[in-house]
Amino acid sequence: MTYISILKPSLTPLNFCPVLRKESVIYQEILREGLAEGLAEGKAKGLAEGKAKGLAEGKAKGLAEATNQIALNMLRSNMSTDLIAQVTGLTLKQIEKLQKLAAKQSQSPKSSQTKRS
């Protein structure tokens, strides 16, 4: 090992000049603050986007459930599938699935009703 290789790490400009060392510390602090601000902004943006997406999905799911319930009520009132499709915007295939579901529900024993003593 030579004398130069031992001293080389300590001969960097930051170690040699106190002004540069101080500026480097300030620069590093600015970078840390910028990183923290960027992370906070990114987190806030991500949360806002996630909330908006969740609300949109919830509204779509609620609308679909309401539409299906209306179609089921219309089926139970013996309305034609063509009329149900026209009113609800569901396809005939979707209405047929609801018909099968309604038929299964009406055939299964109602275990949710309790007997009163």
Side-chain angles (χ1 to χ4, degrees):
M1 193 183 290
T2 65
Y3 181 72
I4 299 284
S5 64
I6 295 171
L7 291 179
K8 194 171 185 178
S10 64
L11 293 177
T12 64
L14 293 178
N15 291 333
F16 187 68
C17 180
V19 174
L20 289 178
R21 192 174 332 134
K22 183 178 179 183
E23 286 178 358
S24 176
V25 170
I26 292 170
Y27 178 72
Q28 292 297 320
E29 183 60 30
I30 290 169
L31 286 178
R32 278 192 291 277
E33 289 173 4
L35 177 63
E37 287 176 14
L39 288 172
E41 287 177 21
K43 184 177 179 180
K45 184 178 178 183
L47 287 173
E49 289 175 1
K51 185 176 180 180
K53 183 179 177 183
L55 285 172
E57 289 175 1
K59 285 181 182 180
K61 184 177 178 181
L63 179 61
E65 288 176 4
T67 302
N68 287 341
Q69 187 60 51
I70 290 168
L72 279 171
N73 291 342
M74 294 175 79
L75 285 168
R76 289 180 184 127
S77 297
N78 296 322
M79 293 186 173
S80 73
T81 54
D82 290 330
L83 178 62
I84 296 170
Q86 183 181 0
V87 171
T88 62
L90 296 174
T91 65
L92 292 175
K93 193 171 190 173
Q94 290 171 318
I95 295 168
E96 288 172 9
K97 286 182 182 179
L98 288 173
Q99 271 181 318
K100 290 177 184 176
L101 178 67
K104 284 183 183 179
Q105 288 177 349
S106 66
Q107 291 175 356
S108 66
K110 297 184 180 181
S111 59
S112 62
Q113 292 180 349
T114 57
K115 295 181 181 180
R116 295 186 183 184
S117 304

